[in-house]
Amino acid sequence: MRVVIAEDSVLLREGLVRLLDDAGIETVATVGDGPGLLGIVEEHKPDLAIVDVRMPPSFTDEGLRAALAVRERLPGTPILVLSQYVEERYATDLIGGGAEGVGYLLKERVSDIAEFIDAVRRIAAGATVIDPEVIGQLLGRRRTGDPLEGLTPREREVLALMAQGRSNGAIAADLVVTEGAVEKHISNIFMKLRLQPAQGGHRRVMAVLAYLGRTDA
């Protein structure tokens, strides 16, 4: 696997390079600002771009805007955004154009090396991995009448794990239930969100988008 990194903190940037190298993942280029990200992605066509949200010159949303530019110019490029804080709109803006191969994690997750490397590999393979704290905040601000209000507590748990990029088998293991039970919960989620088999798009991705507040489902 080949990655590029956009991170203005030299210490964190070099730390990420070392962690990835120890896991057999090659960092082919790094930059310290958002605008430079598009250039190195176009040059190296990496399997994943890791991007900090806040970088020079204004330290607001340069990383996010660069990530969105990459997804627009080179659709399907897997992106992992790292942020110091939970910033809800960044998560929803990022996946608004398609949730495959997208991650949004708090930087504190990097301290759990195994979890971080697992997320890197899953995002590069096309999964969606959203930090549980982001999911918790998004869930907490649901509007009255939202279709998600019709989900049972267990179905909400399943959908939250889907948003983290978990497979059916991993969800079953986390919840200590059978895969058949998970499949039934997912079927109920699709039904309650009115996601029919004949609809265009991937229903699993559409359910995650609904969960994160970017669809009319």
Side-chain angles (χ1 to χ4, degrees):
M1 185 191 302
R2 302 163 63 254
V3 307
V4 297
I5 299 173
E7 167 60 59
D8 66 292
S9 167
V10 175
L11 183 61
L12 180 56
R13 187 168 68 235
E14 295 306 313
L16 287 171
V17 171
R18 177 63 182 272
L19 287 179
L20 294 169
D21 183 64
D22 288 346
I25 300 171
E26 180 186 5
T27 301
V28 295
T30 65
V31 292
D33 57 72
L37 175 65
L38 185 56
I40 60 173
V41 170
E42 289 184 321
E43 178 181 356
H44 296 281
K45 303 296 190 300
D47 300 301
L48 175 71
I50 300 176
V51 188
D52 184 16
V53 168
R54 297 184 174 185
M55 288 188 288
S58 70
F59 293 95
T60 55
D61 61 357
E62 281 84 2
L64 172 68
R65 287 189 281 109
L68 293 174
V70 168
R71 295 283 283 193
E72 182 178 352
R73 184 80 63 86
L74 299 167
T77 301
I79 299 283
L80 168 55
V81 170
L82 296 177
S83 179
Q84 189 70 38
Y85 309 102
V86 177
E87 299 176 87
E88 298 168 9
R89 72 182 181 88
Y90 291 156
T92 54
D93 284 349
L94 183 62
I95 72 167
E100 299 94 337
V102 169
Y104 184 102
L105 296 177
L106 296 183
K107 288 184 177 180
E108 64 189 49
R109 302 297 174 197
V110 179
S111 63
D112 187 329
I113 298 174
E115 180 180 346
F116 175 70
I117 294 299
D118 178 64
V120 165
R121 294 190 185 282
R122 287 192 287 130
I123 295 164
T128 303
V129 181
I130 309 297
D131 196 284
E133 289 192 33
V134 176
I135 291 172
Q137 288 205 16
L138 291 169
L139 184 60
R141 62 176 176 83
R142 283 291 156 208
R143 302 180 303 274
T144 302
D146 193 301
L148 293 171
E149 295 296 330
L151 301 183
T152 66
R154 178 61 88 183
E155 289 163 357
R156 285 170 174 267
E157 286 183 294
V158 170
L159 185 51
L161 290 169
M162 288 168 61
Q164 293 177 40
R166 296 286 196 272
S167 66
N168 287 4
I171 293 172
D174 285 348
L175 300 179
V176 195
V177 298
T178 65
E179 284 196 51
V182 171
E183 291 170 1
K184 183 176 180 179
H185 288 312
I186 292 175
S187 178
N188 288 339
I189 290 167
F190 290 158
M191 179 184 67
K192 291 178 180 180
L193 296 183
R194 300 185 294 278
L195 299 175
Q196 302 302 320
Q199 283 185 256
H202 193 294
R203 287 195 297 171
R204 197 178 186 98
V205 171
M206 292 171 71
V208 169
L209 288 171
Y211 183 71
L212 294 174
R214 293 296 290 183
T215 75
D216 295 325

